[in-house]
Amino acid sequence: MTAATTSTNDTNSTNAQTSANNTAPEASVLFNIEPTDCGHLIGVMTLNTPKSLNALSVDMCQLLAAQLEEWQADDQVVAIVLKGAGDKAFCAGGDIRKLYDSMSTSAPMPNPYATEFFSHEYRLYRQMHFYSKPLILWGDGIIMGGGMGLMAGCSHRVVTERTRFAMPEITIGLFPDASGSWFLQRMPAKTGLFLGLTGAMCNGNDALLANLAEYAVASHDYDAVIQSLKQSDWQKLDSASSSNKFHHNSAHSIVSRALAELPVAELPDSKLATYCQPIQKLMNSGGLADIDALLQNDEALAQLNKDFAEDSWTQRAVATYRHGCPVTAALTYALYQKVADLSIEQVLYLETNVAVHCAANPDFKEGVRALLIDKDKDPQWSRSLADCLSVEGQAYIDKHFGNPYPEGEHPLEGWLGEEALGSQHVR
């Protein structure tokens, strides 16, 4: 596809430029366009709430979704870059204060704000996963929770020596949502299950190993990324390749070549690579009760692998698990088993059910209170893991997966076909 010259596309380009120029500095997401050397456009989306580490809100999801739709229709826009403002984080999770405020004992079930929050977020992830143009993540700094969902939805992920990522929902009584059930399942040797249970903090090298990133670039080389994209030969873009992202002259292939030409950054060693074998043994030791028995026992961990047990990285992860929410551990384990054969749409539908149930049950509210509101870091969880694994407790966990909406009112209604693979797991 060559540079567009029709009046329609010129109008689209002008609208995009006008939108970028009129964006208020205080907007939660900023949009601008970078012209390429051969007359095409690179869209740039910047999460712009650095004081909250660019935590994802309903407003941000709506703005991102609308701009992606506009740029999808503009033939001059050939690729989109997604980044965060500031030098600390790309996106450190979701903005859950308003969600916390909505979780009162008198809130209806399903909670209307929880429905709004999670459905807008999950619709954005679906849009990104099926987006036809390259989505390039500049994954510098902290990436957690909702930011991980954005990361997983991008086609080209760039990490730096400052990248730190985690799914720490066990600390707040939620579960690894934001499509976490989907991408944790796709990590090698059950490392994703370990990360979901422990909230372990990982680095850029871990992201490369875990299929969450493809390229490593130094944090000071963002401008080099943009220049490489701008200097690429977009004149070679073949309109016939639009349905095949891996065609030699597709936009995706052009972006891949541009990023592959950049100097590779030196990253910290991967803990997941170093401890892949003990993690694999730990996660395959039996059911959740067996895994828990090992995670609760320092001597058992040392017998599994002495270096693994003595590493401060492991010790922090284990401490997080031990202090974390048992209901979250049970949900994380159950979801990991359920989603193995599900599509991204089916996973997001199922996560919506679980998230809305969590918003109605006590642990999520208690976890947010202890960590973010009162900040006493002393959550009083509703159940022990033994309680969760009892007959009554298992029924309580299973209830989270059921559709909480009246017939025909699920916010993601229509995403599931009767013949969908694995549809028996989503109700």
Side-chain angles (χ1 to χ4, degrees), residues 234-246:
W234 295 101
Q235 298 289 2
K236 289 183 177 180
L237 193 61
D238 184 357
S239 59
S241 70
S242 59
S243 62
N244 183 359
K245 295 179 179 179
F246 307 105

Side-chain angles (χ1 to χ4, degrees), residues 306-329:
K306 187 172 182 291
D307 291 339
F308 173 66
E310 293 180 353
D311 195 309
S312 60
W313 177 79
T314 305
Q315 292 174 357
R316 285 192 297 271
V318 170
T320 299
Y321 173 80
R322 292 175 181 176
H323 191 62
C325 177
V327 169
T328 296

Side-chain angles (χ1 to χ4, degrees), residues 258-332:
L259 296 176
E261 291 172 356
L262 295 167
V264 177
E266 184 175 345
L267 304 182
D269 291 339
S270 167
K271 295 294 186 179
L272 292 182
T274 301
Y275 299 125
C276 183
Q277 289 188 344
I279 289 173
Q280 194 270 346
K281 290 180 181 178
L282 173 61
M283 294 297 106
N284 286 288
S285 60
L288 181 57
D290 302 288
I291 295 170
D292 176 75
L294 290 174
L295 286 172
Q296 299 286 358
N297 189 320
D298 291 340
E299 291 184 5
L301 287 172
Q303 290 177 4
L304 191 69
N305 184 288
K306 187 172 182 291
D307 291 339
F308 173 66
E310 293 180 353
D311 195 309
S312 60
W313 177 79
T314 305
Q315 292 174 357
R316 285 192 297 271
V318 170
T320 299
Y321 173 80
R322 292 175 181 176
H323 191 62
C325 177
V327 169
T328 296
L331 287 172
T332 301

Side-chain angles (χ1 to χ4, degrees), residues 73-130:
D74 188 341
D75 289 341
Q76 284 189 294
V77 177
V78 291
I80 292 95
V81 175
L82 177 60
K83 66 186 185 75
D87 58 3
K88 293 183 179 179
F90 161 63
C91 175
D95 184 357
I96 59 175
R97 178 57 193 259
K98 189 173 179 181
L99 184 59
Y100 170 83
D101 291 338
S102 76
M103 292 189 288
S104 67
T105 54
S106 61
M109 173 62 178
N111 180 325
Y113 184 71
T115 295
E116 180 184 20
F117 183 91
F118 290 110
S119 62
H120 279 291
E121 182 184 4
Y122 296 175
R123 286 192 187 103
L124 174 62
Y125 299 146
R126 177 183 187 247
Q127 180 183 14
M128 293 174 67
H129 276 275
F130 290 97

Side-chain angles (χ1 to χ4, degrees), residues 63-74:
L63 290 171
L64 289 166
Q67 190 63 63
L68 284 172
E69 184 175 357
E70 180 179 331
W71 280 340
Q72 178 68 70
D74 188 341

Side-chain angles (χ1 to χ4, degrees), residues 98-177:
K98 189 173 179 181
L99 184 59
Y100 170 83
D101 291 338
S102 76
M103 292 189 288
S104 67
T105 54
S106 61
M109 173 62 178
N111 180 325
Y113 184 71
T115 295
E116 180 184 20
F117 183 91
F118 290 110
S119 62
H120 279 291
E121 182 184 4
Y122 296 175
R123 286 192 187 103
L124 174 62
Y125 299 146
R126 177 183 187 247
Q127 180 183 14
M128 293 174 67
H129 276 275
F130 290 97
Y131 203 67
S132 66
K133 297 181 180 182
L135 294 175
I136 304 148
L137 173 80
W138 178 246
D140 185 39
I142 299 169
I143 310 174
M144 295 193 294
M148 293 290 290
L150 295 174
M151 185 182 201
C154 288
S155 60
H156 296 73
R157 286 77 59 94
V158 181
V159 290
T160 77
E161 77 283 358
R162 301 192 302 192
T163 299
R164 297 292 183 272
F165 75 88
M167 292 297 287
E169 286 76 11
I170 196 162
T171 63
I172 58 169
L174 187 55
F175 68 101
D177 76 313

